């Protein structure tokens, strides 16, 4: 098999040399056939004969033309057809010069389209057979004349079959390459989506816990000298927040490990069942929070549950960082028909910088999470002061092509 493939590669690399070899082989066959004469009496027999000099010259011209059959197939067909017609009219006995025309017709059929093959093939068959029958030395019904008709038809049909198979193989190869490109693009898209999801999770975890650590560290530094007990309590909250941040970071980064890693985390992703724990960490940091829930008995998909948790976490983190020390926050989780509505309000003075005005990605991350679930997110200042975050998430995940109604 390797030898055959190597021969094909060499043939493609040196087409002119291969055509020269083919022309030499056709020349040998035509010369050998010109010295043999069939006899049709009681039985078919063969006898030696001496061909005419003109027939040998026409044989040489037809074989020489085949060297250039790939460069100019129609020109070579015209030349070999002409020498075949001349030989069929003048040759007595006739030499097999038409063999070169059959090879040239095969080349035309294998390198052009089907309509051209039909037109050129019918024309070649008609001209060669017509001249052989009308002006040749043999009777019009002689087997040699019918053989010209048959062999030209075989050459055109074989060339068309080779061209069709070559086109079919090329189409399969292009389809396979296109499918491979599609798989690679899909893999790159999935990698980008996974990278974005992990970046959102890391941002939510780090922003939340670092904000708490910052607040509690500031409290500890303020009361360290006068009220050491309160400073010790604040430092305990700092320690607890940092431990939670490390655990969540370990769980998030652990997703990058291989599935067979025995140290891969098995802790489930956080959801609304941990809302009390989440609000408790903010209350420990000094933020006044009121929680109202009307979603009892609602089981959310994992992606929706995680998104709801992260939206509340990010919104409260923004309240902690930007709403001022005396701000109050309200969190509501309500089931409304086929949706779950998350609302986070604050009455902050707005003296600090607005959320994400410093180039952060909190609101952008929330919007990406909601958009990925085919939900809606509304954020903006409240009338009279404060900020409002309102998210509507579907209780059931929908595919991109599904009708939202």
């Amino acid at each position: 098999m390797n030898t055959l493939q190597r021969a094909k590669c060499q043939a493609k690399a040196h087409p002119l040399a291969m055509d020269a070899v083919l022309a030499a082989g056709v020349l040998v066959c035509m010369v050998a056939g010109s010295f043999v004469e069939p006899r049709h009496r009681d039985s078919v027999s063969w006898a030696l004969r001496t061909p005419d000099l003109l027939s040998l010259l026409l044989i040489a011209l037809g074989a020489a033309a085949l060297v250039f059959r790939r460069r100019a197939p129609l020109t070579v067909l015209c030349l070999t057809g002409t020498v075949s017609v001349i030989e069929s009219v003048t040759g007595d006995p006739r030499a097999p010069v038409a063999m070169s025309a059959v090879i040239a017709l095969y080349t035309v059929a294998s390198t052009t389209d089907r309509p051209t093959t039909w037109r050129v093939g019918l024309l070649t068959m008609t001209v060669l057979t017509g001249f052989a029958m009308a002006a040749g030395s043999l009777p019009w019904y002689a087997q040699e004349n019918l053989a010209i008709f048959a062999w030209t038809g075989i050459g055109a049909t074989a060339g068309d079959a080779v061209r069709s198979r070559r086109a079919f193989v090329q189409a399969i190869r292009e389809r396979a390459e296109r499918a491979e490109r599609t798989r690679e693009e899909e893999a790159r898209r999935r990698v980008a989506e996974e990278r974005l999801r992990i970046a959102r999770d890391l941002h939510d975890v780090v922003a939340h816990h670092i904000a708490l650590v910052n607040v509690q560290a500031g409290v500890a530094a303020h009361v360290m000298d006068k009220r050491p007990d309160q400073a010790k309590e604040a430092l305990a909250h700092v320690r607890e927040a940092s431990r939670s941040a490390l655990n969540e970071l370990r769980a998030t980064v652990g997703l990058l490990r291989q599935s067979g890693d025995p140290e891969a985390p098995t802790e489930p992703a956080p959801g609304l069942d941990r809302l009390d724990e989440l609000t408790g960490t903010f209350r420990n940091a000094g933020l006044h929070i009121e929680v109202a829930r009307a979603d009892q008995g609602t089981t959310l998909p994992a992606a929706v549950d995680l998104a709801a948790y992260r939206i509340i976490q990010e919104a409260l983190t923004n309240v902690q960082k930007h709403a001022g020390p005396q701000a109050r926050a309200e969190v509501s989780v309500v089931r409304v028909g086929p949706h779950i509505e998350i609302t986070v309000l604050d009455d902050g003075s707005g003296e600090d910088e607005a959320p994400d005005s410093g180039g952060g990605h909190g609101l952008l991350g929330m919007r990406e999470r909601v958009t990925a679930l085919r939900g809606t997110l509304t954020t903006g200042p409240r009338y009279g002061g404060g900020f409002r975050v309102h998210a509507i998430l579907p209780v059931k995940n929908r595919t991109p092509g599904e009708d939202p109604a």
Side-chain angles (χ1 to χ4, degrees):
M1 188 64 179
N2 294 333
T3 304
L4 180 59
Q5 292 178 351
R6 192 179 302 109
K8 289 182 178 179
C9 293
Q10 292 178 355
K12 292 180 179 179
H14 306 284
L16 188 62
M18 296 303 299
D19 289 339
V21 173
L22 175 63
V26 173
L27 176 63
V28 172
C29 292
M30 290 191 296
V31 170
S34 64
F35 282 91
V36 178
E37 179 182 6
R39 292 181 178 179
H40 307 282
R41 291 181 180 177
D42 297 336
S43 60
V44 179
S45 61
W46 304 88
L48 293 177
R49 66 178 181 180
T50 302
D52 297 336
L53 182 61
L54 179 60
S55 297
L56 294 177
L57 178 61
L58 294 175
I59 288 174
L61 289 176
L66 293 179
V67 178
F68 308 97
R69 66 186 186 96
R70 300 194 196 187
R71 294 186 177 183
L74 289 175
T75 303
V76 171
L77 177 60
C78 293
L79 181 57
T80 55
T82 301
V83 297
S84 299
V85 168
I86 295 174
E87 202 281 331
S88 64
V89 173
T90 61
D92 187 19
R94 186 180 298 173
V97 182
M99 183 184 297
S100 60
V102 172
I103 300 297
L105 180 58
Y106 164 84
T107 304
V108 172
S110 63
T111 55
T112 58
D113 53 6
R114 181 160 294 172
T116 303
T117 300
W118 276 98
R119 291 193 296 267
V120 175
L122 290 175
L123 179 62
T124 303
M125 293 166 61
T126 303
V127 171
L128 294 184
T129 308
F131 272 95
M133 289 181 175
S137 58
L138 298 176
W140 68 270
Y141 53 83
Q143 293 185 1
E144 286 82 354
N145 297 334
L146 298 179
I148 293 176
F149 180 84
W151 281 107
T152 50
I154 292 173
T157 304
D160 182 72
V162 170
R163 180 196 56 78
S164 299
R165 182 182 181 279
R166 188 183 299 126
F168 177 73
V169 172
Q170 182 64 24
I172 293 178
R173 184 180 294 111
E174 292 177 356
R175 190 179 300 112
E177 293 176 354
R178 186 163 53 250
E180 183 67 23
R181 289 195 300 268
T182 302
R183 283 194 296 269
E184 292 176 357
E185 292 172 0
E186 179 67 15
R188 286 194 295 266
R189 184 186 66 81
R190 289 181 179 274
V191 168
E193 290 180 353
E194 184 68 13
R195 185 179 300 162
L196 179 61
R197 186 189 64 80
I198 294 175
R200 285 198 301 260
D201 287 341
L202 287 176
H203 172 270
D204 293 342
V205 171
V206 172
H208 164 61
H209 291 289
I210 294 302
L212 295 180
V213 169
N214 181 53
V215 171
Q216 296 291 350
V219 172
H222 182 69
V223 301
M224 178 69 72
D225 297 331
K226 297 180 180 180
R227 286 176 288 180
D229 294 338
Q230 187 175 355
K232 184 182 297 183
E233 182 180 356
L235 291 176
H237 290 316
V238 169
R239 182 180 180 183
E240 182 64 25
S242 61
R243 182 186 296 111
S244 298
L246 289 175
N247 291 336
E248 292 200 32
L249 284 174
R250 186 179 297 111
T252 302
V253 176
L255 296 176
L256 300 177
R257 295 177 177 173
Q258 297 180 356
S259 59
D261 193 338
E263 298 182 3
T266 59
E267 181 182 358
L272 291 180
D273 56 339
R274 295 175 56 182
L275 181 58
D276 293 338
E277 178 184 346
L278 175 65
T279 55
T281 59
F282 284 100
R283 290 191 180 100
N284 293 333
L287 181 63
H288 299 282
I289 304 176
E290 295 181 3
V291 179
R293 299 190 63 173
D295 63 329
Q296 288 77 10
T298 301
T299 301
L300 299 178
V304 177
D305 203 18
L306 175 61
Y309 180 88
R310 293 303 188 194
I311 289 171
I312 296 174
Q313 183 185 52
E314 180 60 30
L316 292 178
T317 301
N318 288 336
V319 174
Q320 182 75 45
K321 292 182 354 183
H322 306 296
Q326 304 300 324
R328 293 177 175 270
E330 299 178 5
V331 178
S332 66
V333 181
V334 181
R335 170 71 181 271
V336 181
H339 301 92
I340 191 84
E341 295 191 8
I342 310 296
T343 306
V344 180
L345 307 175
D346 70 80
D347 59 355
S349 61
E351 296 176 355
D352 294 343
E353 58 178 352
D356 289 356
S357 61
H361 301 280
L363 294 182
L364 178 61
M366 284 192 287
R367 193 171 303 279
E368 289 174 346
R369 288 184 184 275
V370 174
T371 302
L373 298 173
R374 302 297 187 268
T376 58
L377 178 70
T378 305
T379 61
R382 299 174 61 194
Y383 179 77
F387 202 80
R388 177 177 181 268
V389 175
H390 181 67
I392 302 177
L393 302 175
V395 175
K396 294 183 179 180
N397 287 332
R398 291 198 305 266
T399 58
E402 186 178 350
D403 187 1

